[in-house]
Amino acid sequence: MKFTGRLALSAAAGVFALAGATHLLAHGDVTPQPVDTTALPDIQPNNDTWLQHNPYRGNAKAIEIGQHAYAQNCARCHGIDAISGGIAPDLRYLELGDSGDEWFVQRYHHGSVRDGKVYMPPMGEILGQKAGWAIRAWLETVHEE
Ligand code: HEC
């Protein structure tokens, strides 16, 4: 699925702001856990300009941070060790390399809202880009065909 443009993206973000707020209040377990990424190099030109490809691919420190960040922020929906119990897609099957990165960052950054329902919160807006690429670096180490 592709968004048709900026308008669609901001509309989706607006829906999340409304629907998400109640959801977050109702379920304390969805509180995101901050991820300490100070050990990782900053993203160029800056951490708020979203890249399409993972600058940390294969970076051992990023993989370590990513594994922990995943367990704290993604596992409750996507499953422990990325083995999905069926609530959300199994992220071990995401394509490796650049094309997998593009899809990963789209979902991580913006989440997923369909028919006004929040399927996935915009985790990237909450945890930041460095944490996202660290998680992606770890996910590639547990990839399955
Ligand atoms: C509240 C539950 C929830 C949380 C927390 C969550 N996700 Fe998701 N995620 C989903 C659902 C549901 C989908 C499927 C969305 C759809 O079908 O539109 C999804 C889809 C995705 C996809 C696209 C997968 C595919 O095969 O298309 C990626 C990548 C992803 N999530 C990454 C993450 C990461 C990384 C985290 C943690 C930082 C995370 N998600 C946290 C529920 C969640």
Side-chain angles (χ1 to χ4, degrees):
M1 183 186 83
K2 275 212 182 339
F3 283 102
T4 45
R6 270 211 172 276
L7 203 61
L9 283 180
S10 25
V15 169
F16 172 73
L18 292 175
T22 6
H23 184 72
L24 288 172
L25 287 176
H27 299 87
D29 61 337
V30 299
T31 309
Q33 300 300 310
V35 180
D36 183 359
T37 55
T38 45
L40 297 175
D42 279 331
I43 286 167
Q44 302 303 328
N46 63 63
N47 294 329
D48 298 326
T49 304
W50 288 78
L51 305 181
Q52 289 300 302
H53 302 140
N54 192 356
Y56 304 147
R57 192 181 298 158
N59 176 321
K61 189 72 197 170
I63 291 167
E64 185 191 317
I65 291 172
Q67 177 168 19
H68 190 64
Y70 174 91
Q72 293 211 293
N73 291 289
C74 321
R76 66 173 173 270
C77 293
H78 288 282
I80 290 170
D81 293 333
I83 301 167
S84 169
I87 302 173
D90 193 310
L91 299 180
R92 293 172 301 164
Y93 298 104
L94 276 183
E95 242 180 278
L96 292 172
D98 286 354
S99 52
D101 284 355
E102 285 161 24
W103 182 234
F104 173 88
V105 76
Q106 161 69 30
R107 272 288 179 257
Y108 173 76
H109 185 182
H110 301 292
S112 173
V113 179
R114 286 191 269 139
D115 300 327
K117 289 199 199 76
V118 179
Y119 283 76
M120 173 172 154
M123 300 302 293
E125 293 292 348
I126 303 162
L127 299 175
Q129 181 172 195
K130 290 174 74 178
W133 289 127
I135 293 169
R136 168 69 176 155
W138 173 69
L139 280 173
E140 285 206 299
T141 70
V142 294
H143 173 81
E144 298 267 337
E145 286 301 334

